[in-house]
Amino acid sequence: MDLSTLPDGTPHTKATCCWCGRKLVSAHVQKFPAWLCPVDYPRQIKHALLVKAHGKAHAKLIGGEPDELVCVDVPLPAQVGLEDATEKYVLWGSRAGPGKSHGVRKWLYRRSLKTPNHESLLLRENWEQLEKTHIRAMQREVPLLGGEFANRTAKFPNGSVIDCGHMADSEAVQRYLSTNYGAIVPEEAALYPVDPDGVTPLAELTTRSRVEYPDLKGEIVKPRFVCVTNPGGPSAQWLREMFIDHAPDLERYPKLATAYRPEQWVYLPAKLTDNPYVPDDYEDVVLANLNATRYKQLAEGDWYAFSGQFFSQWHEGTHVQDWGTPSNVTWVRSLDWGHNAPGCVLWWALLPDHRFYCRAELKFQRMDESEVAAAIKKMDAMLGIRRIGYTVGDPSVFNKTGATHRAASGFIGQSIGETLGYYGIPIIGADNDRINGWKRCHSLLRLAPDGKPWMIVHPDCTYLRRSIASARSEPRDPDDVDTKSDDHALDSWRYFSLSRPSPSRADTRQVYPEGTMGWYRMRAMREGTQTSRLIGRVA
């Protein structure tokens, strides 16, 4: 739709207002044609970009008279969300096509013009994308604002500047660490490369947005770090953990244990219908040609989808729920041992409807058996668990690789599993079939006939949640998890899954009268106790 020729008040055919849900309507703010919310349009006009015409040449350029304030931009309702956000750290993104690049550039212009001597940094993933997306546009737009653009830097008469840069490699962040900025905007931030340890440069870049400036009214303008991006890419996991899940990886970023404030990290989701300027066939033609994973990322805004994803059924909104701490249920633990590498213990409630509820987790590292046993007992007490059905663990904990010496009859000493038993945590060796174990894990993520998944994970289980969401397939065996990734919570989950019958199988077991031997045997099997295994062998 050609906005310049539409009568004021004409509704858009598709684009809707993210505030009121109605179709955006055409209008003029001064002489500038704009799409406005039909209800709360003053909220948009409040943030209109007004430029004072300096001299006849500049006045002619912007279509006004000398010394006249001329409107050169009115943000869309979705773009006003960025203007109104008060949090220091903002993630603006989700679906492709809602005008994020244009909107964030105009946001930087408004911030620069109202704040003398303000310095900001605008980044893209490489020089080519920076040239195509921003530099060409800034060469046209900055002169309209009375500024100059040269050497990838916009300079304004009040002393404000906007530097443009790229993050084509993981070392690129070093170029910007010598300067402090009032605003940093990493656009397409999810695509920024990570280093060999999986650390994103975005983490360190956040430390450079730290300067406060007084604006023209003398009010303090706080520093901002605004990531603008779609899902998918090397740094997408960090963005999801920081802005959406609010569960940073404290092993990788330990200082966040005291410095992270979730209320300062806000996510502003964007959708295609926010943008009235997108072509009508964008979704049907452009997005429809994407592969399934990329379609989920760009068309559906799915932050949990990525290429090679092993557990594609996993969805935080479906599988992560707080069901409290149930009572009168059987509790089971699963353990994957680790010393230099992390170990993980998971606590499972076996619910009456045959679902499995992962209520708690313990991630440990460089702890001996007595320390791990004490930590397990502490978690039991916190949950109010008096009795555990069993603890299933990697059968390798019974290998006597750390035995004290070798005698004629073999190794002398205790295995890890025996030592844990000595400290009050007896271990049952798990079925270590990886392929069938992962198949069972996949089945637990499926929905039961009532529409709820067979497995629920408590929000506190951040290590397990992060591991499931980021698990990748082994390149040479798509039916196995890539063991180069952090798979210790996944292994603990796998050991548990094969220690229980599949909850989704049809229950065709014979029903025995209460009090008979068959009744006691079936009850013991459901409870998963040592008695179940004994009776099962005797029977």
Side-chain angles (χ1 to χ4, degrees), residues 68-227:
E68 179 187 4
L69 280 177
V70 178
C71 179
V72 296
D73 182 75
V74 178
L76 296 167
Q79 296 168 345
V80 172
L82 180 58
E83 298 282 352
D84 290 344
T86 58
E87 296 82 359
K88 180 178 180 179
Y89 307 98
V90 177
L91 172 60
W92 184 27
S94 187
R95 295 167 173 84
K100 300 187 295 294
S101 297
H102 176 91
V104 78
R105 196 169 59 248
K106 297 301 177 66
W107 175 77
L108 284 174
Y109 294 159
R110 279 186 283 271
R111 188 177 176 93
S112 298
L113 291 174
K114 77 175 185 178
T115 313
N117 303 312
H118 184 278
E119 296 187 20
S120 54
L121 176 64
L122 175 61
L123 298 168
R124 282 287 299 212
E125 66 273 29
N126 54 54
W127 284 127
E128 181 182 3
Q129 290 300 320
L130 183 67
E131 174 75 26
K132 291 179 178 179
T133 307
H134 290 297
I135 289 181
R136 295 176 185 172
M138 294 176 79
Q139 288 172 338
R140 298 189 305 268
E141 295 166 348
V142 172
L144 294 176
L145 308 176
E148 298 178 352
F149 187 82
N151 300 320
R152 303 188 179 102
T153 298
K155 297 181 179 180
F156 299 94
N158 64 355
S160 294
V161 298
I162 302 174
D163 291 328
C164 297
H166 77 87
M167 299 293 290
D169 52 80
S170 57
E171 290 78 26
V173 68
Q174 300 299 324
R175 290 192 291 269
Y176 311 112
L177 294 184
S178 60
T179 304
N180 294 323
Y181 293 96
I184 297 179
V185 177
E187 204 199 352
E188 293 301 344
L191 299 179
Y192 295 177
V194 299
D195 69 13
D197 294 325
V199 176
T200 174
L202 293 170
E204 193 167 8
L205 197 61
T206 61
T207 65
R208 313 322 297 174
S209 178
R210 57 197 301 179
V211 183
E212 296 181 349
Y213 297 90
D215 65 11
L216 294 173
K217 298 179 181 179
E219 298 177 354
I220 297 299
V221 177
K222 298 289 186 179
R224 306 287 294 280
F225 185 83
V226 179
C227 293

Side-chain angles (χ1 to χ4, degrees), residues 318 321 323 353 355 446-456:
T318 301
Q321 300 179 38
W323 286 5
D353 60 359
R355 282 184 169 82
R446 294 174 182 162
L447 301 182
D450 63 1
K452 299 178 182 178
W454 289 110
M455 183 184 86
I456 296 296

Side-chain angles (χ1 to χ4, degrees), residues 249-264:
D249 187 344
L250 299 181
E251 297 292 329
R252 186 167 287 167
Y253 308 98
K255 291 185 178 180
L256 291 178
T258 56
Y260 182 71
R261 299 289 183 269
E263 67 275 7
Q264 282 297 311

